[in-house]
Amino acid sequence: MRHPKLVPPLPQDLQNRSFKGQDCQGWDFSGRDIRGCDFRKSNLRDADFTGVHTGRTKQQINREKIGIPIGLILGFVFGFMLMTAHKSPAVLTHESIDAVFRVGMLTMIMVAALMLTAIAIFSYLRLNAGLIAMTVALQMTTFSVLIFSLINSPVITLPISIVIFIVGAIITSGFGLFYYRLGVKLFHNAIGTDFQGANLSSANFTDALLKNCAFKDADISQTNWSNVEISRCDRDVTKLI
């Protein structure tokens, strides 16, 4: 959602506003709701953020929630496309093998291009949990198909099939649990208010609630962090002074 460029005095509700790259030196943001605001590379020198409320908005959270099932669906689709890229021909002739190889290579190139596009979109929209979901679905799909292909191989005996199934189930469950925990962590720590690369020198954050904020590469020299509550931010800026 686009908003008109703001000038002081500012409204009380500033949710999802973009101040990216703007000169906001000395502006009064005190007591405002700046959840979801984008302050990347903006000049906030001497700005007053006393008692501000930062973090994620419902719009951001809902977008992240929607990104997770979309990521799962894309991962399953890409996984099955990859695993069906090379189908053995009914008659193994040089011509049929060559044709299958060409189709398989074209399929894998297409899937790789679609995956890179999906990754770029997820990264641009900062849907890290959705990106993890896509990775989980892709890996679990390809790994599961591989396991069942081995089990159904005519050269694999029943005892070996059982061992392969058990080991595969353990590995797949382990990967699933690891990525589930990672996805939950990324979801809860997703950026809401973004100060990356901003000039926050001599800014005042007294009594501010700093939650789900990004301060990477921000200039925080002589910034006032008195009585600040901070959680789920990419840096604990209060310990860097």
Side-chain angles (χ1 to χ4, degrees), residues 60 63-64 119-128:
Q60 288 177 315
R63 187 176 62 184
E64 292 163 8
I119 291 172
I121 294 174
F122 273 81
S123 299
Y124 177 76
L125 296 177
R126 298 184 175 183
L127 302 177
N128 294 327

Side-chain angles (χ1 to χ4, degrees), residues 25-42:
Q25 182 171 345
W27 284 22
D28 183 10
F29 293 92
S30 60
R32 266 70 174 183
D33 186 345
I34 59 173
R35 287 178 293 176
C37 285
D38 186 357
F39 292 101
R40 285 176 294 174
K41 298 183 179 180
S42 57

